[in-house]
Amino acid sequence: MLKKLIPALFALLLLTCSLRAQKKSPNIIIILADDMGYSDIGCFGGDAMTPNLDEMAQRGLRMTQFYNASRCCPTRASLLTGLYQHQAGVGDMMNTRPQPAYQGYLNNNCVTIAEALKEGGYNTFMAGKWHVGQAQDHWPRKRGFDRYFGLIDGASSYFGLYPYRPNQKLTLALDDTPFTPSDGYYSTDAYTDYAIRFIKESKGSGKPFFLYLAYQAPHWPLHALPEDIARYKGKFMKGWQKLREERLTRMIRLGVVPKGTPLSPPDPHVPAWDSLTDKEKADWDEKMAVYAAMIDRMDQNIGRLRKQLKEMGEADNTVIMFLSDNGGSSESIKGNGFLPAILEAGTRPSSDPSSFTSYGFSGANVSNTPFRLFKHWEYEGGTATPFIAYGPSIVKPGTVSQQPGHIIDLMNTCLDLAHTPYPAVYHQNTIKPTEGLSLVPLFKRAKWQGHDALFFEHEGNRAVRKGQWKLVSEFPENKWFLYDMENDRSELRDLSQKYPEKVKELTSLYEEWAKRAEVIPFEQLVKRKGENFEN
């Protein structure tokens, strides 16, 4: 009798082990690009060569209506906590203000993804740009990360630490210690080096890991390596309008935007291409070549990371999510409190490592094709980001979703993947309820309830998205405009006069949210002397 039972018991044991293996929590990686426009990567229509991201998109999920918070600090605060940025204490930038929602660093009534996952048995690592707390008490290791390497501040040279504003101190840190880069340093490579190092060192722990890899690229200054720049020189001499038209054609072919999507008119700050001199055209081509090279190098490093996961046998059990913190940036290196030496560096060729340049309105207008406006505004050009999720054992391949998602969803998604609860209390502090939804049903190509409404506010620019409708206003005019996002995602046809009741409904929703999220009208916030509003 016992002999007859042994095969059945053995089969049951194998089944139990198999089920346990299936239930093993996956590694989770969030990769954040910096100031990268909606259409800059290949699988969203861009000119940069991004084979790794393109493959991840093809074999995973693309969300074509995913949103950020339109600026560096607010997005990072919201992404890390699953709250709107005001609720986390970073309602504007890292400017210290007396109002709790605008204190300029993460508060104690929120938890980061790292803090929550650590409670669930994860190793937690970060490499890259922090930008949600400058004082050492607010650095990453104080907010749940076991290991950290990167830039505490909002921007810097990619080749070292060079302050660009008066009385500014920039900090690279390794864990809790300031770090001085050596010759040959290039930030995109260095962030990946440390990310890989942290993962390799944790291999024997038996724990899954969470990695937040926040690249500095392609935020200004435009800095790339010569071999990468060489691949793109001359490719942008067609001019910005032709490039935008070609991008839109590719985006329609790739299913990023529907057929018939109109191209927004050139931004008023962008002159006709034919009005430029030959030198001006060549200078712009060089800026765009450097910009594309920065994205190319980021993709190469994502490839390095994926290779390491494969070598460790972790590739199939890792979910990678990729997105950008805001749309392409129209900011220029002119005045605005920059040091004289930086202003002089802004006149040098962008391919020169000692330069300090940006691609301005014209470059950002291309990056944000087909949308209007840029980083800082709540129009699609400021808030729309490409979103890719990839994980061979979890994310169904070849999926494209048009449902609106938001950075507030990443907390819930990570906790759902990790089978870890969101805490009501953490270190004796009451934690605000999360605002997001798990994206895991979308990963599995199941029905996803989606959001009833999404809300946006940055320095007086406001928006609310509910279903097919979006209500948006620009500071300081503060006039509401209404757009039908199913038929006019480029936000060209204002319907506020045609549907005044819809404007009233969405305005009421926005005001209720703003009160709950502790948003203060921007005109009421007092700018203190010496505040820094960059990035």
Side-chain angles (χ1 to χ4, degrees), residues 409-426:
D409 297 330
L410 297 192
M411 168 69 83
N412 293 57
T413 302
C414 291
L415 295 184
D416 193 0
L417 290 168
H419 310 292
T420 298
Y422 181 82
V425 176
Y426 184 78

PDB file of all heavy atoms in Angstrom, residues 409-426:
ATOM      1  N   ASP A 409      -0.070  55.037  -9.665  1.00  0.00           N
ATOM      2  CA  ASP A 409      -0.392  53.615  -9.751  1.00  0.00           C
ATOM      3  C   ASP A 409       0.806  52.712  -9.471  1.00  0.00           C
ATOM      4  O   ASP A 409       0.622  51.498  -9.284  1.00  0.00           O
ATOM      5  CB  ASP A 409      -0.937  53.287 -11.145  1.00  0.00           C
ATOM      6  CG  ASP A 409      -2.237  54.006 -11.449  1.00  0.00           C
ATOM      7  OD1 ASP A 409      -3.007  54.269 -10.504  1.00  0.00           O
ATOM      8  OD2 ASP A 409      -2.477  54.321 -12.629  1.00  0.00           O
ATOM      9  N   LEU A 410       2.009  53.256  -9.473  1.00  0.00           N
ATOM     10  CA  LEU A 410       3.180  52.379  -9.365  1.00  0.00           C
ATOM     11  C   LEU A 410       3.332  51.786  -7.968  1.00  0.00           C
ATOM     12  O   LEU A 410       3.800  50.646  -7.824  1.00  0.00           O
ATOM     13  CB  LEU A 410       4.442  53.131  -9.782  1.00  0.00           C
ATOM     14  CG  LEU A 410       4.463  53.597 -11.246  1.00  0.00           C
ATOM     15  CD1 LEU A 410       5.850  54.072 -11.635  1.00  0.00           C
ATOM     16  CD2 LEU A 410       3.996  52.503 -12.195  1.00  0.00           C
ATOM     17  N   MET A 411       2.957  52.517  -6.933  1.00  0.00           N
ATOM     18  CA  MET A 411       2.986  51.962  -5.577  1.00  0.00           C
ATOM     19  C   MET A 411       2.101  50.720  -5.499  1.00  0.00           C
ATOM     20  O   MET A 411       2.544  49.636  -5.072  1.00  0.00           O
ATOM     21  CB  MET A 411       2.541  53.008  -4.558  1.00  0.00           C
ATOM     22  CG  MET A 411       2.269  52.468  -3.156  1.00  0.00           C
ATOM     23  SD  MET A 411       3.724  51.894  -2.253  1.00  0.00           S
ATOM     24  CE  MET A 411       4.336  53.460  -1.600  1.00  0.00           C
ATOM     25  N   ASN A 412       0.828  50.850  -5.876  1.00  0.00           N
ATOM     26  CA  ASN A 412      -0.104  49.730  -5.788  1.00  0.00           C
ATOM     27  C   ASN A 412       0.343  48.562  -6.663  1.00  0.00           C
ATOM     28  O   ASN A 412       0.191  47.397  -6.280  1.00  0.00           O
ATOM     29  CB  ASN A 412      -1.505  50.177  -6.218  1.00  0.00           C
ATOM     30  CG  ASN A 412      -2.116  51.164  -5.255  1.00  0.00           C
ATOM     31  OD1 ASN A 412      -1.534  52.217  -5.000  1.00  0.00           O
ATOM     32  ND2 ASN A 412      -3.280  50.852  -4.730  1.00  0.00           N
ATOM     33  N   THR A 413       0.902  48.888  -7.825  1.00  0.00           N
ATOM     34  CA  THR A 413       1.369  47.842  -8.732  1.00  0.00           C
ATOM     35  C   THR A 413       2.495  47.033  -8.095  1.00  0.00           C
ATOM     36  O   THR A 413       2.491  45.803  -8.118  1.00  0.00           O
ATOM     37  CB  THR A 413       1.844  48.470 -10.049  1.00  0.00           C
ATOM     38  OG1 THR A 413       0.769  49.219 -10.630  1.00  0.00           O
ATOM     39  CG2 THR A 413       2.309  47.413 -11.027  1.00  0.00           C
ATOM     40  N   CYS A 414       3.465  47.744  -7.525  1.00  0.00           N
ATOM     41  CA  CYS A 414       4.591  47.055  -6.881  1.00  0.00           C
ATOM     42  C   CYS A 414       4.126  46.191  -5.714  1.00  0.00           C
ATOM     43  O   CYS A 414       4.572  45.043  -5.551  1.00  0.00           O
ATOM     44  CB  CYS A 414       5.625  48.072  -6.403  1.00  0.00           C
ATOM     45  SG  CYS A 414       6.517  48.914  -7.733  1.00  0.00           S
ATOM     46  N   LEU A 415       3.238  46.709  -4.896  1.00  0.00           N
ATOM     47  CA  LEU A 415       2.759  45.953  -3.734  1.00  0.00           C
ATOM     48  C   LEU A 415       1.930  44.750  -4.163  1.00  0.00           C
ATOM     49  O   LEU A 415       1.987  43.684  -3.535  1.00  0.00           O
ATOM     50  CB  LEU A 415       1.958  46.860  -2.812  1.00  0.00           C
ATOM     51  CG  LEU A 415       2.733  48.005  -2.154  1.00  0.00           C
ATOM     52  CD1 LEU A 415       1.844  48.766  -1.182  1.00  0.00           C
ATOM     53  CD2 LEU A 415       3.982  47.506  -1.448  1.00  0.00           C
ATOM     54  N   ASP A 416       1.165  44.900  -5.231  1.00  0.00           N
ATOM     55  CA  ASP A 416       0.380  43.787  -5.760  1.00  0.00           C
ATOM     56  C   ASP A 416       1.311  42.685  -6.271  1.00  0.00           C
ATOM     57  O   ASP A 416       1.120  41.494  -5.971  1.00  0.00           O
ATOM     58  CB  ASP A 416      -0.516  44.304  -6.886  1.00  0.00           C
ATOM     59  CG  ASP A 416      -1.591  43.305  -7.301  1.00  0.00           C
ATOM     60  OD1 ASP A 416      -1.650  42.205  -6.730  1.00  0.00           O
ATOM     61  OD2 ASP A 416      -2.381  43.637  -8.213  1.00  0.00           O
ATOM     62  N   LEU A 417       2.338  43.067  -7.011  1.00  0.00           N
ATOM     63  CA  LEU A 417       3.316  42.091  -7.498  1.00  0.00           C
ATOM     64  C   LEU A 417       4.010  41.373  -6.342  1.00  0.00           C
ATOM     65  O   LEU A 417       4.301  40.181  -6.416  1.00  0.00           O
ATOM     66  CB  LEU A 417       4.360  42.778  -8.373  1.00  0.00           C
ATOM     67  CG  LEU A 417       3.904  43.299  -9.739  1.00  0.00           C
ATOM     68  CD1 LEU A 417       4.977  44.196 -10.349  1.00  0.00           C
ATOM     69  CD2 LEU A 417       3.589  42.140 -10.681  1.00  0.00           C
ATOM     70  N   ALA A 418       4.268  42.127  -5.272  1.00  0.00           N
ATOM     71  CA  ALA A 418       5.020  41.597  -4.128  1.00  0.00           C
ATOM     72  C   ALA A 418       4.135  40.927  -3.077  1.00  0.00           C
ATOM     73  O   ALA A 418       4.656  40.408  -2.080  1.00  0.00           O
ATOM     74  CB  ALA A 418       5.810  42.726  -3.473  1.00  0.00           C
ATOM     75  N   HIS A 419       2.807  40.957  -3.291  1.00  0.00           N
ATOM     76  CA  HIS A 419       1.865  40.397  -2.316  1.00  0.00           C
ATOM     77  C   HIS A 419       2.116  41.004  -0.929  1.00  0.00           C
ATOM     78  O   HIS A 419       2.137  40.309   0.086  1.00  0.00           O
ATOM     79  CB  HIS A 419       1.980  38.873  -2.262  1.00  0.00           C
ATOM     80  CG  HIS A 419       1.924  38.211  -3.599  1.00  0.00           C
ATOM     81  ND1 HIS A 419       0.787  38.197  -4.369  1.00  0.00           N
ATOM     82  CD2 HIS A 419       2.889  37.564  -4.319  1.00  0.00           C
ATOM     83  CE1 HIS A 419       1.040  37.551  -5.505  1.00  0.00           C
ATOM     84  NE2 HIS A 419       2.300  37.166  -5.497  1.00  0.00           N
ATOM     85  N   THR A 420       2.290  42.308  -0.919  1.00  0.00           N
ATOM     86  CA  THR A 420       2.615  43.039   0.311  1.00  0.00           C
ATOM     87  C   THR A 420       1.558  44.110   0.554  1.00  0.00           C
ATOM     88  O   THR A 420       1.208  44.847  -0.369  1.00  0.00           O
ATOM     89  CB  THR A 420       4.009  43.696   0.190  1.00  0.00           C
ATOM     90  OG1 THR A 420       4.990  42.674   0.018  1.00  0.00           O
ATOM     91  CG2 THR A 420       4.346  44.521   1.410  1.00  0.00           C
ATOM     92  N   PRO A 421       1.039  44.230   1.763  1.00  0.00           N
ATOM     93  CA  PRO A 421      -0.001  45.236   2.039  1.00  0.00           C
ATOM     94  C   PRO A 421       0.572  46.654   2.145  1.00  0.00           C
ATOM     95  O   PRO A 421       1.743  46.846   2.488  1.00  0.00           O
ATOM     96  CB  PRO A 421      -0.582  44.784   3.381  1.00  0.00           C
ATOM     97  CG  PRO A 421       0.561  44.076   4.050  1.00  0.00           C
ATOM     98  CD  PRO A 421       1.323  43.385   2.945  1.00  0.00           C
ATOM     99  N   TYR A 422      -0.278  47.606   1.831  1.00  0.00           N
ATOM    100  CA  TYR A 422       0.063  49.018   2.025  1.00  0.00           C
ATOM    101  C   TYR A 422      -0.168  49.361   3.492  1.00  0.00           C
ATOM    102  O   TYR A 422      -1.240  49.075   4.047  1.00  0.00           O
ATOM    103  CB  TYR A 422      -0.813  49.885   1.121  1.00  0.00           C
ATOM    104  CG  TYR A 422      -0.534  51.366   1.203  1.00  0.00           C
ATOM    105  CD1 TYR A 422       0.511  51.935   0.487  1.00  0.00           C
ATOM    106  CD2 TYR A 422      -1.341  52.205   1.976  1.00  0.00           C
ATOM    107  CE1 TYR A 422       0.751  53.302   0.533  1.00  0.00           C
ATOM    108  CE2 TYR A 422      -1.106  53.572   2.039  1.00  0.00           C
ATOM    109  CZ  TYR A 422      -0.057  54.113   1.316  1.00  0.00           C
ATOM    110  OH  TYR A 422       0.183  55.477   1.369  1.00  0.00           O
ATOM    111  N   PRO A 423       0.800  49.977   4.161  1.00  0.00           N
ATOM    112  CA  PRO A 423       0.665  50.186   5.609  1.00  0.00           C
ATOM    113  C   PRO A 423      -0.259  51.355   5.960  1.00  0.00           C
ATOM    114  O   PRO A 423      -0.276  52.380   5.284  1.00  0.00           O
ATOM    115  CB  PRO A 423       2.101  50.485   6.043  1.00  0.00           C
ATOM    116  CG  PRO A 423       2.736  51.112   4.845  1.00  0.00           C
ATOM    117  CD  PRO A 423       2.121  50.434   3.658  1.00  0.00           C
ATOM    118  N   ALA A 424      -1.018  51.181   7.025  1.00  0.00           N
ATOM    119  CA  ALA A 424      -1.815  52.284   7.570  1.00  0.00           C
ATOM    120  C   ALA A 424      -0.981  53.108   8.538  1.00  0.00           C
ATOM    121  O   ALA A 424      -1.240  54.299   8.743  1.00  0.00           O
ATOM    122  CB  ALA A 424      -3.049  51.738   8.279  1.00  0.00           C
ATOM    123  N   VAL A 425       0.019  52.461   9.149  1.00  0.00           N
ATOM    124  CA  VAL A 425       0.925  53.124  10.092  1.00  0.00           C
ATOM    125  C   VAL A 425       2.334  52.673   9.768  1.00  0.00           C
ATOM    126  O   VAL A 425       2.577  51.495   9.459  1.00  0.00           O
ATOM    127  CB  VAL A 425       0.575  52.770  11.560  1.00  0.00           C
ATOM    128  CG1 VAL A 425       1.588  53.387  12.516  1.00  0.00           C
ATOM    129  CG2 VAL A 425      -0.839  53.213  11.899  1.00  0.00           C
ATOM    130  N   TYR A 426       3.289  53.599   9.819  1.00  0.00           N
ATOM    131  CA  TYR A 426       4.687  53.256   9.571  1.00  0.00           C
ATOM    132  C   TYR A 426       5.553  54.074  10.522  1.00  0.00           C
ATOM    133  O   TYR A 426       5.452  55.310  10.551  1.00  0.00           O
ATOM    134  CB  TYR A 426       5.066  53.551   8.115  1.00  0.00           C
ATOM    135  CG  TYR A 426       6.477  53.139   7.740  1.00  0.00           C
ATOM    136  CD1 TYR A 426       6.781  51.805   7.486  1.00  0.00           C
ATOM    137  CD2 TYR A 426       7.497  54.084   7.662  1.00  0.00           C
ATOM    138  CE1 TYR A 426       8.062  51.413   7.143  1.00  0.00           C
ATOM    139  CE2 TYR A 426       8.788  53.706   7.315  1.00  0.00           C
ATOM    140  CZ  TYR A 426       9.066  52.371   7.056  1.00  0.00           C
ATOM    141  OH  TYR A 426      10.342  51.991   6.725  1.00  0.00           O
TER     142      TYR A 426
END
